[in-house]
Amino acid sequence: MTRVTEQFDFSRKFLAGGVSASTRVNRALGHPLYFDRAAGCRVWDLDGREYLDLCCSHGATLLGHGDPRVREAVEWVLDRGAACSYENELHGQLAELLCKTIPCCERIRFTGSGTEATMHCLRLARACTGRSKILKIEGHFHGYHDQVMFSIGTPADQLAEESAPARYPGSAGIAPGLEQHLVLVPYNRTDLLERAFKQHGKELAALICEPVYYNAGCVVPTSEFLAAMRRLTREYGALLIFDEVLSAFRMAPGGAQEYLQITPDLCTLGKAVGGGFPLSVFGGRHDVMQHLMPEGTCQHSGTYNGHPVSVAAGLAAVTAYRQPGFYERINAVAERLYSGLNQLLARHGIPGRVQGLGARFGIYFGVTREVHNYRDAVRHDRQKMLQFVAAAIAHGVYFHDYGGAACHHGFCAAMTDADVDETLTRLDDAMRVMNP
Ligand SMILES: Cc1ncc(COP(=O)(O)O)c(C=O)c1O
């Protein structure tokens, strides 16, 4: 018995499944790791074991754990009473900074989580267009609300034809019929996207996508598919929504839309925008955002929207992402880590590949050709992934496990070249104990 496993036994008596979020059980271990403290790119579990963190709060702590700039901003707000549920001057300051930084944002609103951001964004798109259907990309993840909990982890044998992907529910308990509002297309299939618009274009309120599809590791859209998404949404009067909850600030200050040079009508931001505190954003064209109450008729509100602690943390974080040299450093670490990982796989004779962009990446086991969409990613070897995560954790590198699926991992800006080298040395030892 360790303190971690004891904690699991204790928590299970009061917390459903022993966790506060279902995906926190690390299935490679059979329980969650309960952490005691964290600093920079390292975390320590309840038994005092130290790990280099390649989860980084699922992408929320892009600056690293306990960043002093974020801490100072939070303490400043706490010292002033942190009155929540009122407007203060920080809201306007962060809104201005985001409108300067994110290409599509002319107006923004704050929400608390990525799930809320996409939920409100889709309602706004429906209010603005008077249409109800949403084009969703097969496999893309947009949070846990019922509108989009379809086709997110569809088993390989349930996918159906590429021309009509199954609207497979991602959870029990979703009211039957909601899937009727969704049209699905596999990522990077321009021919099928064109076909879907021909059939449903006039009924579509929006096309929502992960512009860089990190929820299947790391999949970048082809320039042809990107251009088609922009062209077809304009042609048919649907809104283009980039869900940048995960991709924002990952490879450029303006997120994937800056990197890919395509400006959507609306976008969502989450995770890194709050510097490790609960904050998310949706925003975009002024004429679209004007549909929100009180100017328009679309409701968006909430007691904790724009909590002052999170907004202060967000201001400090976004200011840090905008510092000269920030992304040069991210890209240099990315190159060192991803090429090092690919070399390790080759040296140990483990078939697989790493695809990464900026500070997040995916590892695909048993896959050697480039992954273009969910159908490619779902065929990766889940057992090998579980084996890898367990071995990495045993050797002091924390990877979160997503049930063996190919999903996203990442590093933070606090990681030095020496930390990367230490990570690779530990993973070299981990791979030595894996069966090829
Ligand atoms: C692209 C994307 N959208 C939405 C969400 C949901 O965000 P949250 O977990 O903050 O509700 C996530 C979470 O991983 C995400 O990756």
Side-chain angles (χ1 to χ4, degrees):
M1 250 333 196
T2 61
R3 284 192 58 196
V4 163
T5 51
E6 265 171 24
Q7 184 63 43
F8 186 42
D9 288 346
F10 175 79
S11 293
R12 269 197 297 184
K13 290 184 194 150
F14 308 102
L15 274 170
V19 282
S20 319
S22 328
T23 56
R24 286 192 199 160
V25 172
N26 194 316
R27 291 193 205 173
L29 305 175
H31 57 79
L33 264 190
Y34 294 90
F35 290 112
D36 174 43
R37 66 191 175 92
C41 62
R42 289 167 200 257
V43 285
W44 287 264
D45 72 18
L46 291 183
D47 294 300
R49 293 197 62 218
E50 177 228 69
Y51 306 86
L52 285 146
D53 184 7
L54 286 188
C55 171
C56 294
S57 318
H58 301 269
T61 43
L62 177 58
L63 292 176
H65 300 289
D67 182 85
R69 294 158 290 188
V70 172
R71 189 192 172 111
E72 191 187 325
V74 165
E75 283 174 352
W76 186 82
V77 169
L78 288 175
D79 286 345
R80 303 172 79 79
C84 77
S85 233
Y86 308 117
E87 291 296 307
N88 63 38
E89 59 189 3
L90 297 183
H91 294 113
Q93 283 172 23
L94 180 54
E96 181 193 32
L97 192 61
L98 290 171
C99 288
K100 278 189 188 153
T101 309
I102 308 293
C104 83
C105 288
E106 294 172 353
R107 295 287 187 281
I108 64 125
R109 276 281 173 96
F110 295 112
T111 45
S113 67
T115 297
E116 287 171 73
T118 65
M119 184 184 81
H120 284 292
C121 206
L122 290 173
R123 180 189 291 160
L124 173 62
R126 285 174 165 144
C128 173
T129 58
R131 302 171 176 183
S132 62
K133 284 199 173 162
I134 304 294
L135 193 147
K136 179 184 177 294
I137 307 293
E138 184 179 43
H140 285 204
F141 179 59
H142 303 297
Y144 296 96
H145 60 88
D146 290 358
Q147 302 288 331
V148 286
M149 272 299 277
F150 294 92
S151 178
I152 52 175
T154 313
D157 59 357
Q158 301 285 323
L159 289 169
E161 294 299 311
E162 275 188 280
S163 54
R167 289 173 290 194
Y168 190 85
S171 170
I174 298 174
L178 276 182
E179 74 283 0
Q180 304 297 329
H181 299 295
L182 293 180
V183 175
L184 288 181
V185 172
Y187 213 29
N188 285 326
R189 283 294 303 269
T190 309
D191 55 334
L192 296 179
L193 187 71
E194 279 170 349
R195 217 182 73 153
F197 267 91
K198 268 195 196 116
Q199 281 177 357
H200 306 283
K202 291 267 185 280
E203 301 162 278
L204 289 176
L207 184 171
I208 187 167
C209 71
E210 290 186 58
V212 174
Y213 181 20
Y214 283 117
N215 276 292
C218 179
V219 179
V220 176
T222 63
S223 48
E224 184 197 60
F225 191 80
L226 252 185
M229 288 198 292
R230 186 59 285 185
R231 174 174 51 80
L232 290 164
T233 43
R234 280 213 179 105
E235 197 177 314
Y236 285 88
L239 297 173
L240 179 61
I241 303 175
F242 278 4
D243 177 359
E244 296 228 42
V245 165
L246 191 45
S247 58
F249 311 110
R250 216 51 71 181
M251 74 304 280
Q257 51 194 282
E258 177 182 334
Y259 176 80
L260 298 168
Q261 302 271 291
I262 290 277
T263 305
D265 301 299
L266 292 172
C267 75
T268 56
L269 317 173
K271 296 188 188 269
V273 75
F277 286 80
L279 183 71
S280 65
V281 169
F282 67 104
R285 276 170 36 197
H286 182 200
D287 62 312
V288 177
M289 295 295 284
Q290 264 182 327
H291 286 263
L292 290 175
M293 286 179 171
E295 291 174 299
T297 53
C298 180
Q299 183 57 283
H300 159 254
S301 200
T303 307
Y304 282 121
N305 282 6
H307 192 285
V309 166
S310 302
V311 171
L315 251 177
V318 177
T319 304
Y321 307 146
R322 287 170 54 100
Q323 292 309 304
F326 185 85
Y327 288 95
E328 280 80 353
R329 182 74 208 125
I330 291 282
N331 291 335
V333 170
E335 168 56 28
R336 194 178 187 95
L337 181 64
Y338 307 157
S339 61
L341 282 169
N342 271 321
Q343 281 163 20
L344 283 182
L345 288 171
R347 187 167 346 125
H348 289 276
I350 301 171
R353 63 182 279 122
V354 172
Q355 289 182 198
L357 175 66
R360 288 201 92 70
F361 65 98
I363 308 182
Y364 306 94
F365 287 100
V367 174
T368 42
R369 295 225 312 259
E370 186 174 348
V371 172
H372 292 289
N373 56 32
Y374 180 75
R375 285 175 191 243
D376 293 342
V378 78
R379 297 201 163 82
H380 113 120
D381 185 339
R382 287 176 181 240
Q383 283 316 314
K384 191 62 79 190
M385 186 72 184
L386 290 171
Q387 212 187 81
F388 169 75
V389 170
I393 289 174
H395 288 83
V397 181
Y398 186 70
F399 278 92
H400 195 73
D401 156 62
Y402 300 87
C407 205
H408 57 96
H409 313 285
F411 64 86
C412 67
M415 201 165 219
T416 63
D417 286 353
D419 294 322
V420 174
D421 295 344
E422 191 178 345
T423 305
L424 292 171
T425 304
R426 292 184 188 190
L427 291 177
D428 192 11
D429 293 339
M431 287 190 199
R432 209 164 281 138
V433 302
M434 286 173 66
N435 303 321

